[in-house]
């Protein structure tokens, strides 16, 4: 009995939360990271906030993901004011879409990318579309296997 107690105490706590609550915590953390990353690039909007303003039916957005039962859209992909789809994001999305879902795409644009010398694609999009497109091609190839 003493050995069992000692063995249980010697086991390190898992570094990644496990079980349904742990997965929810990781997903919540990832959403907060997306909120922060997109703050300087127009932010995120609930899907329900936009359909009447841009004339597109719900669910037809290029980058759309769900969190906590709500559809979310990164606003960098739209022209300010009109909310028409911007050309540069549309081209990169076309490169990624065969291998990436909405959540993965939103994360790809927001995270530092080694092919872009650690810059976030959303930040380099307007300054160097060619490099961002090349990074998207490479990452799609890697993701697709």
């Amino acid at each position: 009995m003493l050995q069992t107690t000692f063995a249980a105490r010697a086991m390190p706590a898992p570094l990644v939360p496990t079980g349904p609550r742990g997965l929810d915590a990781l997903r919540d953390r990832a959403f907060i990271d997306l909120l922060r990353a997109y703050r300087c690039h127009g932010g995120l909007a609930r899907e329900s906030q936009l359909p009447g303003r841009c004339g597109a039916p719900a669910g037809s957005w290029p980058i759309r993901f769900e969190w906590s039962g709500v559809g979310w859209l990164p606003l960098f992909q739209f022209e300010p004011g009109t909310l028409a789809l911007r050309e540069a994001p549309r081209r990169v999305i076309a490169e990624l879409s065969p291998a990436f879902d909405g959540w993965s795409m939103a994360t790809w644009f927001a995270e530092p990318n080694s092919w872009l010398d650690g810059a976030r694609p959303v930040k380099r999009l307007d300054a160097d579309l060619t490099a961002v497109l090349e990074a998207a091609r490479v990452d799609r190839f890697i993701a697709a296997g």
Side-chain angles (χ1 to χ4, degrees):
M1 180 113 167
L2 184 58
Q3 272 186 317
T4 304
T5 305
F6 176 75
R9 285 187 196 159
M11 296 293 292
L15 297 176
V16 176
T18 58
R21 289 182 53 135
L23 292 176
D24 287 345
L26 289 174
R27 187 84 165 180
D28 291 348
R29 178 60 189 231
F31 180 74
I32 290 167
D33 290 344
L34 286 176
L35 282 173
R36 287 182 182 139
Y38 283 117
R39 185 176 294 141
C40 296
H41 304 282
L44 297 175
R46 289 180 185 89
E47 183 177 36
S48 62
Q49 294 174 310
L50 299 180
R53 292 178 57 196
C54 63
S60 65
W61 311 105
I63 299 177
R64 178 200 176 276
F65 63 91
E66 295 231 356
W67 176 77
S68 194
V70 175
W72 292 87
L73 302 145
L75 293 177
F76 81 94
Q77 62 191 327
F78 301 107
E79 293 289 348
T82 66
L83 294 179
L85 185 59
R86 294 178 53 224
E87 179 67 15
R90 185 195 62 74
R91 290 180 60 192
V92 178
I93 291 163
E95 284 293 336
L96 294 172
S97 63
F100 287 67
D101 64 10
W103 185 276
S104 299
M105 240 185 274
T107 301
W108 185 88
F109 275 98
E111 290 183 342
N113 188 298
S114 60
W115 303 113
L116 300 172
D117 297 323
R120 298 170 193 266
V122 70
K123 186 170 182 156
R124 292 275 304 272
L125 193 60
D126 294 324
D128 194 356
L129 177 58
T130 302
V132 176
L133 283 167
E134 186 59 30
R137 283 184 196 109
V138 172
D139 286 338
R140 175 182 43 94
F141 179 77
I142 291 168

